[in-house]
Amino acid sequence: MAAVQWRSRERNYEAELQRCRPEAAPIEFGDYHPLKPIMVTDSKTRRGTRKGSTSSSSSSSSSAPPDPLSSMLDGTDPLSMFAAASASQPAAAAVSHSSSMGDLGRKRREKEEEAVGPDFEPWSMKRGEILARFTTTEKLSINLCMGSDKGKALGPGSSAVSEKVRTRLEELDDLEEGSQKELLNLSQQDYANRIEELNQSLKEAWASDQKVKALKIVIQCSKLLSDTAVIQFYPSKFVLITDILDTFGRLVYDRIWSMCSDPRPLPESFTVEDVNDTAKETCLNWFFKIASIRELLPRLYVEAAILKCNRFLSRTGIQETLPRLTAMIRGIGDPLVAAYARAYLCRVGVEVAPHLKDSLNRNFFDLLATFRQIGGESVQNLLVVQRVEVPEYLTLYSPAINWILQCIAYRAPEVLLTEMMDRCKTMANNALLLNSIMRAFRPEFVAARATDFIGMIKDCDESGFPKHLLFGSLGRSLACADPPESERLSILNEAWKVITKVRSPQDYIGCAEVWVEFTCRHFTKREVNTVLADIIKHLTPDRAFEDAYPQLQSVIRRILTYFHDFSVLFSMERFLPFLDMFQKDGVRVEVCKSIMEVFIKHQVELTRDPVILNAMLHICKTMHDSVNSLTLEDEKRSLALLIVGFMRTVSFGRDFEQQLSFCVEARATFCNLEPVLVQLVHTVNQLAMETRRVMRGSHSRKTAAFVRACAAYSFITIPSLSSIFTRLNLYLLSGQVALANQCLSQADAFLKAAVSVLPEVPHSISIEGKLRSSESFLLDFINNFLATLLVVPDHPEHGVLYLVRGLLNIVQDYTWEENTDAKVRVYLSALPLLAAMSQETFLYSIPKVDSNETLYGGDPKFLSEINKLCETLIGQILDHLKALARDEQSARRQSALAFSLFGVLLAHGDLRNNKLSQLAVNLWNLSHKQGLSDTRLSVRTLEHVKHQAQQPGMAHLSEAAQRLSLQTRT
């Protein structure tokens, strides 16, 4: 290919734009509207339809064009398809009618019998709380009975007993009279691990068909519930061991269920008549084994565990068994052990027969009768031996009593609460019972009687159960429901009189935390500020706040839930001192993050309030200062997003200088978080453009100095960023902003800085933790940069097109990856820029900025420089095309590049020049030489050339079009 003389095609951009606009054509819509649904009617296939004939399944009610979305569904929506499917199978529906009716009947019966809904808090929700609350540092022990190898001989008369019964009794004797094994000096965690091992042993024994061994494990675990040697741990022990009982009950029930499910599965609402004899016999066998257990407590617990199995034996089995088990509990001497046995019976009772309220009530009344035992000699002696105070001992009853009362109070009428309150008064306002009543009944009922409850709390004996715990329970109800408005202030005053007298910091904050929500919900910042001052007063001595961080965080969350006006929040005198109590770095940052999240969510309007700004800057600085070399990138990103969210809410209105001063201060404060610095640069650029808008493009001396100060801010800030492409893009953006504000020297500095950074671009960059080639990002940036250079005037001291030449020199010297066409792609992108620069009128310009079109005015020397540079670039591109190897991959690259250069010559070159026209034809042929070009693209391009040849002044393209031929791969 010979050297070519470049000459740019003269362009009339306005005429070209007019030609490209589509012709306006009136449209007669009639009844059709694109949002109007298409009516579809189904037509059923007749029974008499001949084989092979077809019938329409749907028809449109109008002649409107078909809806593309409806056509995908064949005229039906997904719900109609299900209905159609069921209608098309009447026979199958008839067959399944009886079973469907049975299912409906079963569901109806279940719904009638079901008394426990999703609003009932299950035991599993309380399990974790109990284990976390009732702990001990004392050593624990486990006494296990290891069965002997042979059974005992039966007494006289045993010959009348069947061999099966004999075997069963011998096995049970083994269980109860084997050798003893005692595990001593166990920590709480060791104890829990050992119980879990027993639970796994139970499952393994059951899986290996060692049912007697499984029963033995359950019996021995049940016996552990009679041990109150470490009484503080008893509620947690109860939770751990009843897990084993639950597992055992589930295994037995599933086993008998499976025996009834052969060959057909047993329905959920089965009756005794559905159970076969083998399953009944197995079920009876289990109950007989359990009845043979000699000790009361394990016999009671194990039978309660399989209470549900009574369904296999009798319709009224559960109803008859619950009262008997309730009466058995009366034989347990220890009131604490008896209370938890009643709680477990209520647990299984609610699961299998929630409608049997009588047994629940009987359990509760029996529990009340045992309260007088607490003051008895045996219990008092036990407390002395274990060094446990009466208030601490009474709290051990709370989980059991709370659960029993929850079962009783669930969906109970309001009158039952009145009855319970009256019964509590007859027991001299028993504090333990009163506490459970307030926790069990619906908050609406309790809130309506809040004043009555406060009176009852006052009359309680302080030595028995701490009053602050009672006020804590009342506060939890009032946090969920509102008391009468006229009583709210007196309720708060009466409660806080008691709370503020609590000496223990842990007990104090545990109660105060609950009442903070009541205060925030119904009162103003004055009352909340008083509460915060009282909390600071109680927790500051001896740095007690260090042990109360979770509660203090809860206080912050409750305040933020109700106070979304941060000018009110930060005007509280004690709020920031309250934040100062969070002195542990991790906790302090989490609190700051929670405040920032609420602020960003609810601060809709822009603000300049100095109270808000000072407080939020303090909070943001706390987050920023927590960043160090060990901070994870995700954490940095999270903190930066929160600070950026705050920055976007700050606006000083027309006081632009104050806004810039704020950005200067913020840059010094948040220098370690790169996204914040990026946001600050964007904010300052936006500030400069807002100034331009206010001045309508005509700057005064003052505003001109201000926008130059903005440019200086950005120019100083950008080099501190580590991300190379962030720097490049900000340099370019800031240069464009400076140019729009007629700051030519500043714009020149930004663009030169961007060019100088280009050699530093690495071949690969990390994106979301993965290395990716930087080539595509670099090409995108250079294309944007080239588009900006069209409106940038040349510097009078640096010669013609000095920025373009500087960029191309950098591109020439840059070390590109091997086997890449990136450099040539840049040259291809530069040719349209140079062609646009040679026009008398540029495609776009910036108001009040004289571009090269004004500076040079079509000067022949200027055009000559452009043409020479274009010829150089084309020569470089052609050399690269020649250098490409002849393998298929290189041939594809050669074809694509040749076609791209052809497109540039067609769009921007003056093809009246014979050499240039011949070069275009040669490039077309080269791109189609091996049939590797996109045929459809080639066809459209050829049609475009023929269309252009018909335009005024473009007749010379006709000859070129005749010389362009399409070639196929063959």
Side-chain angles (χ1 to χ4, degrees):
M1 297 181 183
V4 64
Q5 293 180 352
W6 172 269
R7 184 179 176 186
S8 300
R9 178 165 69 90
E10 294 182 2
R11 307 285 294 273
N12 186 336
Y13 295 118
E14 185 62 32
E16 291 181 22
L17 180 62
Q18 291 297 332
R19 287 199 301 267
C20 291
R21 285 177 177 166
E23 296 182 2
I27 300 177
E28 294 293 337
F29 283 103
D31 293 334
Y32 170 71
H33 189 277
L35 299 181
K36 183 178 179 181
I38 298 175
M39 303 299 295
V40 179
T41 58
D42 293 333
S43 58
K44 309 296 182 182
T45 303
R46 298 181 178 179
R47 292 185 179 180
T49 303
R50 296 190 311 272
K51 182 178 181 181
S53 67
T54 60
S55 62
S56 175
S57 61
S58 65
S59 61
S60 175
S61 62
S62 69
S63 59
D67 181 3
L69 298 181
S70 298
S71 63
M72 297 299 293
L73 299 172
D74 297 328
T76 62
D77 62 89
L79 298 180
S80 300
M81 292 171 65
F82 289 115
S86 61
S88 64
Q89 298 178 356
V95 171
S96 61
H97 176 73
S98 59
S99 62
S100 299
M101 292 301 293
D103 290 342
L104 291 174
R106 172 176 59 81
K107 293 178 180 178
R108 185 163 56 249
R109 286 195 301 273
E110 287 180 350
K111 187 174 181 180
E112 291 172 356
E113 295 178 2
E114 180 63 40
V116 176
D119 55 335
F120 182 83
E121 185 179 6
W123 176 260
S124 58
M125 298 290 291
K126 301 178 180 294
R127 182 181 181 279
E129 178 187 352
I130 295 173
L131 290 175
R133 179 181 173 190
F134 297 97
T135 60
T136 183
T137 57
E138 296 186 29
K139 295 300 181 182
L140 305 168
S141 63
I142 297 179
N143 294 315
L144 295 176
C145 177
M146 308 304 293
S148 59
D149 293 334
K150 60 179 181 179
K152 294 175 64 177
L154 294 176
S158 62
S159 58
V161 184
S162 68
E163 188 65 28
K164 181 180 293 187
V165 176
R166 180 195 301 273
T167 303
R168 181 167 61 245
L169 293 178
E170 288 178 349
E171 290 170 343
L172 289 175
D173 282 336
D174 282 346
L175 298 184
E176 299 198 50
E177 300 195 11
S179 59
Q180 295 288 331
K181 180 180 179 181
E182 187 172 16
L183 301 176
L184 302 174
N185 297 324
L186 299 176
S187 67
Q188 179 180 323
Q189 187 59 48
D190 293 337
Y191 189 96
N193 293 340
R194 181 57 182 156
I195 296 297
E196 179 58 31
E197 290 174 9
L198 289 172
N199 201 355
Q200 293 300 322
S201 299
L202 167 64
K203 296 176 183 178
E204 292 170 3
W206 190 272
S208 59
D209 205 26
Q210 300 181 54
K211 304 298 189 294
V212 173
K213 181 180 178 181
L215 179 60
K216 168 186 172 181
I217 294 173
V218 176
I219 292 173
Q220 296 305 316
C221 289
S222 302
K223 287 182 179 180
L224 296 176
L225 290 174
S226 62
D227 177 20
T228 57
V230 183
I231 201 167
Q232 304 98 317
F233 186 65
Y234 190 85
S236 294
K237 179 196 292 188
F238 170 80
V239 168
L240 295 171
I241 292 176
T242 51
D243 285 348
I244 296 180
L245 289 166
D246 294 341
T247 300
F248 177 73
R250 192 163 50 250
L251 291 173
V252 173
Y253 185 85
D254 292 345
R255 166 67 176 159
I256 301 173
W257 173 280
S258 64
M259 297 175 69
C260 301
S261 302
D262 189 20
R264 291 188 306 167
L266 194 66
E268 185 66 31
S269 58
F270 69 90
T271 61
V272 179
E273 291 75 15
D274 298 324
V275 182
N276 57 46
D277 293 338
T278 304
K280 288 181 179 178
E281 182 180 358
T282 303
C283 187
L284 278 171
N285 185 40
W286 277 111
F287 280 109
F288 288 154
K289 285 183 178 181
I290 294 169
S292 302
I293 301 174
R294 295 175 182 176
E295 295 185 27
L296 171 62
L297 195 65
R299 183 168 73 250
L300 170 69
Y301 270 108
V302 178
E303 184 172 358
I306 67 166
L307 179 65
K308 191 176 181 181
C309 294
N310 280 282
R311 292 184 61 192
F312 297 108
L313 300 177
S314 170
R315 291 178 180 272
T316 59
I318 295 175
Q319 188 173 353
E320 295 168 356
T321 303
L322 276 174
R324 177 172 58 81
L325 295 178
T326 301
M328 288 171 60
I329 298 176
R330 297 171 185 168
I332 300 175
D334 191 311
L336 184 64
V337 177
Y340 278 92
R342 290 188 174 92
Y344 186 70
L345 188 57
C346 286
R347 263 186 59 193
V348 295
V350 165
E351 290 177 5
V352 301
H355 56 286
L356 298 179
K357 293 283 187 179
D358 291 342
S359 61
L360 296 176
N361 294 334
R362 191 177 296 111
N363 246 320
F364 178 68
F365 295 141
D366 286 351
L367 177 63
L368 296 183
T370 63
F371 275 2
R372 56 178 174 268
Q373 290 181 260
I374 296 175
E377 184 178 354
S378 60
V379 173
Q380 294 300 319
N381 291 338
L382 176 65
L383 298 184
V384 171
V385 171
Q386 298 202 24
R387 296 188 180 92
V388 176
E389 299 294 332
V390 172
E392 182 182 0
Y393 174 70
L394 290 178
T395 58
L396 301 178
Y397 286 84
S398 296
I401 300 176
N402 291 346
W403 176 258
I404 295 172
L405 270 173
Q406 178 184 324
C407 297
I408 293 174
Y410 179 67
R411 292 182 179 174
E414 193 170 359
V415 66
L416 181 60
L417 175 58
T418 305
E419 295 176 7
M420 288 291 181
M421 292 174 69
D422 294 339
R423 182 173 291 273
C424 189
K425 291 175 183 177
T426 62
M427 300 178 65
N429 288 334
N430 183 287
L432 180 61
L433 176 60
L434 182 60
N435 183 66
S436 297
I437 289 173
M438 289 188 291
R439 293 176 69 97
F441 280 87
R442 292 174 58 185
E444 295 84 0
F445 297 168
V446 176
R449 296 167 173 77
T451 303
D452 296 335
F453 275 110
I454 288 178
M456 295 175 68
I457 292 173
K458 286 181 179 180
D459 297 336
C460 286
D461 183 8
E462 178 71 29
S463 62
F465 195 88
K467 287 186 179 180
H468 70 269
L469 294 181
L470 296 174
F471 275 106
S473 297
L474 178 60
R476 289 183 183 89
S477 295
L478 298 183
C480 302
D482 300 333
E485 186 173 356
S486 59
E487 302 175 7
R488 292 172 185 172
L489 184 57
S490 62
I491 290 172
L492 178 62
N493 288 332
E494 291 296 333
W496 210 261
K497 286 178 185 177
V498 175
I499 297 171
T500 194
K501 293 178 182 178
V502 179
R503 294 183 179 180
S504 168
Q506 283 297 319
D507 293 341
Y508 168 83
I509 190 60
C511 192
E513 165 200 358
V514 177
W515 281 88
V516 164
E517 182 162 359
F518 177 77
T519 310
C520 294
R521 187 168 178 165
H522 299 297
F523 298 98
T524 63
K525 69 172 185 177
R526 177 174 169 269
E527 288 78 11
V528 176
N529 191 63
T530 303
V531 171
L532 293 180
D534 195 60
I535 294 175
I536 295 171
K537 176 183 174 183
H538 278 77
L539 297 185
T540 301
D542 300 325
R543 301 178 65 86
F545 53 79
E546 293 182 345
D547 299 323
Y549 284 141
Q551 293 87 345
L552 294 176
Q553 285 179 274
S554 176
V555 170
I556 289 291
R557 285 195 296 270
R558 293 169 194 265
I559 293 175
L560 293 175
T561 301
Y562 294 96
F563 284 84
H564 297 155
D565 187 344
F566 280 78
S567 60
V568 174
L569 184 64
F570 291 133
S571 64
M572 294 184 199
E573 295 178 3
R574 312 311 297 172
F575 184 75
L576 290 180
F578 183 85
L579 290 183
D580 289 338
M581 288 197 295
F582 295 97
Q583 296 188 8
K584 185 179 179 181
D585 290 341
V587 178
R588 188 180 182 87
V589 172
E590 286 301 317
V591 171
C592 292
K593 287 171 67 176
S594 64
I595 295 174
M596 291 299 304
E597 287 168 359
V598 175
F599 178 83
I600 293 170
K601 181 178 180 181
H602 295 283
Q603 187 67 33
V604 179
E605 298 180 355
L606 301 177
T607 182
R608 60 184 299 174
D609 188 333
V611 174
I612 294 179
L613 295 186
N614 289 334
M616 295 306 295
L617 279 173
H618 172 72
I619 291 171
C620 290
K621 187 176 188 305
T622 300
M623 295 193 299
H624 170 270
D625 292 347
S626 69
V627 175
N628 53 43
S629 59
L630 299 179
T631 305
L632 298 176
E633 288 300 322
D634 286 345
E635 178 67 12
K636 289 183 181 179
R637 192 179 303 114
S638 173
L639 295 176
L641 285 175
L642 292 174
I643 297 175
V644 166
F646 161 64
M647 296 292 179
R648 290 173 176 167
T649 64
V650 178
S651 174
F652 290 87
R654 289 290 185 90
D655 192 348
F656 295 154
E657 293 182 352
Q658 184 65 28
Q659 184 91 28
L660 183 59
S661 299
F662 174 81
C663 291
V664 171
E665 181 184 353
R667 180 177 62 188
T669 305
F670 308 119
C671 57
N672 290 331
L673 292 175
E674 189 163 305
V676 179
L677 298 180
V678 172
Q679 176 61 34
L680 288 172
V681 173
H682 284 304
T683 300
V684 171
N685 283 334
Q686 187 177 4
L687 192 59
M689 295 304 294
E690 182 67 14
T691 305
R692 177 179 181 271
R693 186 189 67 80
V694 171
M695 300 302 295
R696 299 181 180 179
S698 300
H699 284 296
S700 64
R701 181 177 299 177
K702 182 178 180 180
T703 58
F706 176 76
V707 294
R708 285 196 294 271
C710 291
Y713 178 97
S714 298
F715 195 77
I716 293 171
T717 307
I718 293 173
S720 63
L721 304 176
S722 61
S723 172
I724 185 82
F725 281 103
T726 302
R727 272 187 284 157
L728 286 171
N729 289 317
L730 286 179
Y731 272 134
L732 178 58
L733 178 63
S734 301
Q736 293 168 345
V737 170
L739 202 61
N741 283 282
Q742 301 114 50
C743 301
L744 300 184
S745 59
Q746 285 78 10
D748 205 56
F750 279 118
L751 297 178
K752 284 197 293 185
V755 172
S756 66
V757 171
L758 283 177
E760 302 174 18
V761 176
H763 287 164
S764 58
I765 55 176
S766 177
I767 299 178
E768 296 181 355
K770 297 180 180 179
L771 283 179
R772 289 183 55 185
S773 173
S774 63
E775 185 177 290
S776 60
F777 300 96
L778 182 56
L779 290 178
D780 286 343
F781 169 77
I782 292 177
N783 287 336
N784 291 335
F785 191 87
L786 289 170
T788 303
L789 291 183
L790 177 63
V791 293
V792 178
D794 283 340
H795 195 285
E797 298 177 0
H798 296 149
V800 178
L801 302 176
Y802 82 101
L803 278 175
V804 178
R805 294 181 186 275
L807 174 64
L808 294 176
N809 289 334
I810 293 294
V811 171
Q812 177 71 28
D813 297 336
Y814 183 78
T815 305
W816 298 91
E817 297 181 25
E818 295 182 1
N819 300 321
T820 180
D821 303 319
K823 181 168 67 173
V824 178
R825 293 285 179 189
V826 174
Y827 294 161
L828 285 170
S829 299
L831 288 173
L833 167 67
L834 295 171
M837 284 183 168
S838 65
Q839 305 300 318
E840 291 185 5
T841 304
F842 284 2
L843 179 59
Y844 48 84
S845 60
I846 295 178
K848 301 185 184 301
V849 174
D850 292 333
S851 302
N852 286 338
E853 63 175 335
T854 304
L855 295 181
Y856 296 109
D859 186 3
K861 292 183 178 180
F862 175 66
L863 298 179
S864 175
E865 289 292 330
I866 291 177
N867 292 337
K868 288 179 181 179
L869 189 52
C870 288
E871 292 167 6
T872 302
L873 293 178
I874 292 175
Q876 294 280 349
I877 298 171
L878 295 178
D879 290 341
H880 182 76
L881 288 173
K882 294 177 183 177
L884 286 176
R886 296 304 179 184
D887 59 272
E888 183 176 353
Q889 187 63 33
S890 297
R892 289 183 181 278
R893 290 166 53 198
Q894 185 185 60
S895 173
L897 287 175
F899 195 82
S900 297
L901 182 55
F902 169 80
V904 170
L905 297 181
L906 179 65
H908 304 284
D910 186 357
L911 296 187
R912 288 175 296 186
N913 183 303
N914 292 333
K915 290 187 177 181
L916 203 58
S917 176
Q918 183 61 46
L919 175 60
V921 174
N922 292 342
L923 289 169
W924 173 275
N925 294 332
L926 179 62
S927 65
H928 291 74
K929 185 176 182 180
Q930 299 187 32
L932 298 174
S933 60
D934 186 337
T935 304
R936 287 183 296 178
L937 179 59
S938 299
V939 170
R940 290 198 300 269
T941 303
L942 187 55
E943 291 173 354
H944 172 72
V945 173
K946 293 177 180 178
H947 175 74
Q948 287 292 98
Q950 299 174 5
Q951 303 300 323
M954 304 292 287
H956 60 278
L957 291 180
S958 299
E959 181 183 355
Q962 295 174 1
R963 300 164 61 188
L964 303 179
S965 60
L966 293 174
Q967 298 181 11
T968 63
R969 293 179 184 270
T970 57

